[in-house]
Amino acid sequence: MATKEAGRGPASYKPLSMSPKEYQQFAKSRQPSRPVFANCVRAFLVGGFICFIGEGVQRFFMAAFDMTSRQAGNPTVAVMILISVILTCLGVYDKIAQWAGAGTAVPVTGFANSMCSAAIEHRSEGLVLGVGANMFKLAGSVIVFGTVAAFFVGIVYWILGVSH
Amino acid sequence: MLQGRRTWIFDKPPVIVGTGTVVGPDEGEGPLAGDFDLVHPDMTIQQPSWEKAERLMLEQASDIALSKAALSKDKINFYVGGDLINQIISSTFAARTLGAPYLGVFGACSTSMESLALAALLVSTGAARYAMAGTSSHNCTAEKQFRYPTEYGSQKPPTAQYTVTGAGAAVVATEGDGPRITSATVGRIMDLGLKDPFDMGSAMAPAAVDTIQAHLQETGRDPGYYDMIVTGDLASVGHPIAADLLKRHGVPIAETQFNDCGLLVYDIAKQKVQAGGSGCACSATVTYGHLLKRLASGQLKRLLVVATGALLSPLSFQQGESIPCIAHAVSIES
């Protein structure tokens, strides 16, 4: 067994002595940062591309079924949701999202992905306690805060006397 | 036996007489593919749930370890195991199949060395003739429990790590052929206030450093005593931080090869795993598969495995708690 002499060798190894603040700064200078600019560019391109497809679908409904742009809105959203759900089920959507970031999260396709992925994930716990209870696990907060926001916007409209 | 405050020097060093490693498709595409006993080409392994797939891998790993040790299930006195899933169910179900007396442990990703250290302690003190240490993790069960549904499209930052899909088991015996477990140092909780669950390497680095320093101090060894000191899953963010911390505290870590299982298991330049691997199976499969093969071939003679664990729960980080971390060290010599 090696002897423990003070001043050199293992006995002299100082114990870890850093305050949390010091360490957080130490670690921060060594952490790679998120590529914010590249993420913005990708989100712009992919988000824009999804909207471009949506626009194409809408034009199709307007031309093929003689709809107004307002009438074509709902079937267009349904088609976009269907595409998103199919891509989620094929296991592709999350791979695109890792590259695209907010580009795939913000459009309606992201909302569909959040519900579909939760439903698939919790299918093993049954239809009621699994799929039913967990489907809105991620989408639920969008609905809650969307409704709350709509309430306050409605109040502003009422105060300003704006009505349809 | 006990040396210093928290190091066990095994007077009768127990022997690892058999190991089993099972991994999933991503690990099978990594640089260590040839060192694993069984590589599954898909994540589901024809099971109806991710949890069942993880359990099956652990059962397969323990079967392989037993067959390599030429032992039947009923020879195992104690099975020491744990995993990442709530109430460590993967290990419990695997223990049900094994039918061995069972000690469940939880050390998050440090479970691999926590279980091996305890198995070695049981065997070396005469409390067991044969003990098995086992652990598992599955990328999809971990994502489901700690993050989001697996198919949810969220963008992970470059500091995030990719949970290894796999399982590792080792049979520890009083005597036989194989590498010997010579000592173990038990970690303490280190929490320096980091809160980002997508950067566990930075959170765990101080725990690894603390355990390495304690191990070297209490055994009176220099880093150069070991051919390799390998951390569990610090990956490309945490590992350089740990190396810098060691240098800063006067530990000549350059005397040895200082590596990390999370960096070894994947080709992080090519595979989409962000900073590298993590999970219980990361250090378990790399140690029991790759590193013990290098010990057997004589490329390494003395190895110190420092398995790191981030002991957070989804509840604790959502409530704004920081991430408590730990690291357990086990020395294995040929």
Side-chain angles (χ1 to χ4, degrees):
Chain A
M1 199 52 57
T3 51
K4 292 179 184 176
E5 292 169 72
R8 65 178 184 84
S12 71
Y13 300 158
K14 283 172 269 171
L16 194 66
S17 57
M18 257 184 170
S19 70
K21 220 176 198 170
E22 255 183 296
Y23 177 68
Q24 282 159 28
Q25 278 169 353
F26 181 86
K28 201 169 185 180
S29 63
R30 288 162 174 79
Q31 289 160 353
S33 52
R34 280 175 187 252
V36 177
F37 181 74
N39 282 351
C40 289
V41 172
R42 288 168 177 184
F44 176 78
L45 291 175
V46 177
F49 183 67
I50 291 171
C51 295
F52 172 76
I53 295 172
E55 184 68 29
V57 172
Q58 192 174 23
R59 294 282 168 101
F60 167 78
F61 280 113
M62 287 162 71
F65 300 102
D66 200 21
M67 291 173 167
T68 62
S69 65
R70 210 184 163 90
Q71 285 172 323
N74 281 343
T76 302
V77 170
V79 168
M80 296 311 286
I81 288 173
L82 186 69
I83 294 172
S84 168
V85 167
I86 290 170
L87 291 177
T88 303
C89 294
L90 292 174
V92 181
Y93 201 91
D94 60 326
K95 306 242 173 2
I96 303 172
Q98 177 61 32
W99 194 82
T104 48
V106 175
V108 70
T109 51
F111 190 80
N113 163 256
S114 74
M115 289 185 65
C116 178
S117 61
I120 300 171
E121 191 80 328
H122 295 283
R123 177 65 186 87
S124 62
E125 291 110 273
L127 282 174
V128 176
L129 293 177
V131 176
N134 288 294
M135 212 163 162
F136 286 90
K137 198 173 162 182
L138 298 161
S141 53
V142 178
I143 293 182
V144 170
F145 292 108
T147 310
V148 171
F151 173 77
F152 285 107
V153 171
I155 287 180
V156 171
Y157 270 41
W158 178 68
I159 291 169
L160 296 177
V162 186
S163 64
H164 289 287
Chain B
M1 187 63 223
L2 180 68
Q3 188 152 318
R5 183 183 177 195
R6 48 174 160 150
T7 297
W8 300 322
I9 306 275
F10 300 118
D11 304 323
K12 283 185 265 171
V15 185
I16 300 175
V17 290
T19 59
T21 49
V22 179
V23 295
D26 294 312
E27 298 69 28
E29 284 169 17
L32 308 183
D35 288 341
F36 302 124
D37 297 311
L38 185 58
V39 178
H40 287 291
D42 72 307
M43 298 286 259
T44 60
I45 322 179
Q46 290 100 50
Q47 297 298 304
S49 69
W50 304 125
E51 289 76 12
K52 283 202 170 88
E54 180 177 334
R55 178 204 307 180
L56 180 64
M57 287 192 297
L58 188 50
E59 289 169 353
Q60 289 172 332
S62 51
D63 279 349
I64 294 168
L66 282 173
S67 71
K68 280 198 202 165
L71 287 171
S72 59
K73 286 178 182 178
D74 55 2
K75 284 278 191 284
I76 299 296
N77 297 111
F78 301 103
Y79 170 65
V80 189
D83 55 89
L84 292 174
I85 306 307
N86 281 345
Q87 285 79 43
I88 55 169
I89 50 163
S90 309
S91 298
T92 302
F93 284 119
R96 182 180 73 180
T97 308
L98 195 62
Y102 168 53
L103 292 164
V105 293
F106 178 77
C109 311
S110 72
T111 305
S112 57
M113 288 306 117
E114 182 180 6
S115 57
L116 188 65
L118 289 170
L121 181 72
L122 290 172
V123 169
S124 80
T125 54
R129 275 183 297 279
Y130 295 102
M132 184 189 274
T135 190
S136 62
S137 58
H138 190 298
N139 185 277
C140 299
T141 60
E143 288 292 318
K144 180 176 177 176
Q145 175 163 305
F146 290 97
R147 296 174 196 108
Y148 301 114
T150 45
E151 297 304 332
Y152 177 58
S154 70
Q155 190 177 43
K156 294 202 171 74
T159 50
Q161 291 171 236
Y162 192 84
T163 307
V164 168
T165 300
V171 179
V172 181
T174 43
E175 52 196 19
D177 288 332
R180 289 166 305 119
I181 301 169
T182 51
S183 67
T185 299
V186 177
R188 60 188 180 124
I189 301 288
M190 294 296 286
D191 185 347
L192 290 178
L194 274 80
K195 290 185 175 177
D196 183 2
F198 285 109
D199 180 18
M200 296 199 287
S202 301
M204 295 189 292
V209 169
D210 182 70
T211 300
I212 292 170
Q213 285 173 335
H215 178 82
L216 296 173
Q217 251 177 0
E218 296 187 344
T219 56
R221 292 169 185 167
D222 279 307
Y225 176 86
Y226 293 103
D227 300 314
M228 184 185 269
I229 296 180
V230 65
T231 48
D233 53 355
L234 296 180
S236 69
V237 179
H239 191 70
I241 292 177
D244 283 354
L245 279 177
L246 286 165
K247 276 179 220 149
R248 196 183 145 113
H249 289 87
V251 180
I253 194 68
E255 285 178 2
T256 184
Q257 290 181 60
F258 187 45
N259 217 322
D260 182 68
C261 298
L263 293 172
L264 290 167
V265 69
Y266 298 120
D267 182 343
I268 61 166
K270 287 196 190 129
Q271 294 181 281
K272 288 182 177 134
V273 293
Q274 288 88 41
S278 69
C280 299
C282 182
S283 51
T285 56
V286 171
T287 304
Y288 299 152
H290 174 63
L291 296 172
L292 291 194
K293 282 208 169 86
R294 293 191 65 188
L295 273 177
S297 72
Q299 289 174 317
L300 298 173
K301 287 193 168 59
R302 291 162 170 171
L303 170 71
L304 183 70
V305 185
V306 187
T308 38
L311 305 173
L312 79 171
S313 82
L315 184 77
S316 73
F317 79 74
Q318 278 170 7
Q319 291 182 341
E321 299 282 353
S322 52
I323 304 173
C325 297
I326 199 160
H328 300 293
V330 174
S331 68
I332 306 170
E333 303 184 27
S334 61

